[in-house]
Amino acid sequence: HVQLVESGGGLVPIGGSLRLSCAASGNIRSGNCMGWFRQAPGKGREGVARIYTGSGSAYYADSVADRFHISQDNAKNTVILEMSNLKPEDTAMYYCMYAPVGANCATGSLAIWGQGAQVTVS
């Protein structure tokens, strides 16, 4: 049973950078992907970035494509989200997601979630 623990959230000034980490316990090699979603107050959860476990290819939401970078450390079962040039609209709770076989990487349906890490840009 995979469990996810996020770290690295916090308060950052406009234009600043932040690094989120997601450590997974359990076997994630057989899954579809890992990624990050975010949810701002009063808004729905949206996909930010994801990386496919097998190929290592990545997907980014248009709003972050030139500012965020996702990577995976297979040896440490960790996924990293590097965020730069942060804007107030990036303020949200960021959730790490692991999609096992049968789960949907784009929507997060049937995925496993971390507890969330708050990112505040001000």
Side-chain angles (χ1 to χ4, degrees), residues 9-24:
L11 175 64
V12 62
I14 296 172
S17 299
L18 206 60
R19 184 174 186 262
L20 298 179
S21 295
C22 176

Side-chain angles (χ1 to χ4, degrees), residues 42-109:
K43 296 188 177 181
R45 190 172 293 189
E46 64 167 342
V48 175
R50 60 184 178 267
I51 188 163
Y52 288 86
T53 308
S55 66
S57 60
Y59 160 87
Y60 298 92
D62 288 344
S63 58
V64 307
D66 58 347
R67 300 183 295 118
F68 290 12
H69 180 258
I70 189 170
S71 61
Q72 59 184 7
D73 184 334
N74 290 329
K76 297 181 180 179
N77 268 10
T78 299
V79 171
I80 305 294
L81 185 67
E82 304 271 6
M83 304 181 291
S84 61
N85 191 21
L86 284 161
K87 305 175 180 181
E89 51 264 42
D90 294 317
T91 295
M93 185 70 79
Y94 283 70
Y95 295 92
C96 180
M97 176 274 292
Y98 166 69
V101 174
N104 188 303
C105 288
T107 65
S109 175

